[in-house]
Amino acid sequence: MAGVVSRRGRSGRRRSVAEINVVPYIDVMLVLLIIFMVTAPMLQQGIEVEVPKTASKTLPAKVEPVVLSVDEQGQLYLNVSDTPKAPLSAEVIQARIAAHHKLHPDVPVLVEAGEDLPYKKVIEAMSLVQKSGVEKVGLVTETPAPGRAGGK
């Protein structure tokens, strides 16, 4: 790879100068860069994951938390409303959570969703709570049944 170039010095005799020709290295690096640029988007595909149930620490029973529930159809329910069994619009829920949070800033806000509900719906519900001015949002989970490893 290293080439020996001969040059004539002042005395007229040939002198060998050892230089590394970097052009082939640059070509190889460009080819590798192109290969990585083509293959990188292929490596970012998602896989299906079944999220496990977890045994989590329960909240202290001082105050009842605000719970935003999402059913399988994506309808939203709020436990601090006049009719907790009636579905509410996103705007109404956002206004009620914001008002309740101003009066009771220490009350935790939780999102409750079924395990078969698409992840997107849960994230949308959490985003709705955060848009209401609540910084910390929790998730309601169930304790797995005893004797079932990993909650399965």
Side-chain angles (χ1 to χ4, degrees):
M1 294 256 159
V4 177
V5 178
S6 61
R7 294 186 182 164
R8 294 186 185 260
R10 290 185 198 175
S11 62
R13 294 188 330 194
R14 290 186 163 225
R15 243 176 83 206
S16 63
V17 177
E19 293 181 346
I20 296 176
N21 190 1
V22 294
V23 174
Y25 294 121
I26 293 173
D27 291 343
V28 169
M29 293 305 290
L30 288 174
V31 169
L32 288 174
L33 177 66
I34 291 170
I35 290 171
F36 286 131
M37 288 173 54
V38 170
T39 58
M42 293 179 207
L43 299 175
Q44 295 179 357
Q45 295 176 353
I47 58 170
E48 290 185 27
V49 177
E50 187 175 327
V51 180
K53 293 182 181 179
T54 180
S56 58
K57 193 168 62 172
T58 58
L59 292 174
K62 295 182 223 173
V63 291
E64 184 175 338
V66 175
V67 179
L68 174 61
S69 300
V70 185
D71 67 2
E72 283 74 26
Q73 289 78 32
Q75 294 180 329
L76 303 170
Y77 303 88
L78 194 61
N79 71 334
V80 293
S81 67
D82 299 334
T83 54
K85 300 284 184 188
L88 301 171
S89 68
E91 294 81 19
V92 171
I93 287 179
Q94 190 172 352
R96 288 189 181 175
I97 290 176
H100 192 275
H101 186 64
K102 277 187 179 178
L103 293 174
H104 311 285
D106 295 336
V107 174
V109 179
L110 306 174
V111 174
E112 177 183 44
E115 65 184 0
D116 295 331
L117 190 70
Y119 190 62
K120 179 181 178 182
K121 296 289 185 184
V122 177
I123 295 300
E124 287 172 355
M126 292 178 75
S127 176
L128 182 68
V129 172
Q130 287 183 333
K131 287 178 186 175
S132 301
V134 178
E135 293 179 11
K136 294 183 180 180
V137 182
L139 294 173
V140 176
T141 59
E142 289 182 9
T143 304
R148 295 173 72 185
K152 294 193 175 200

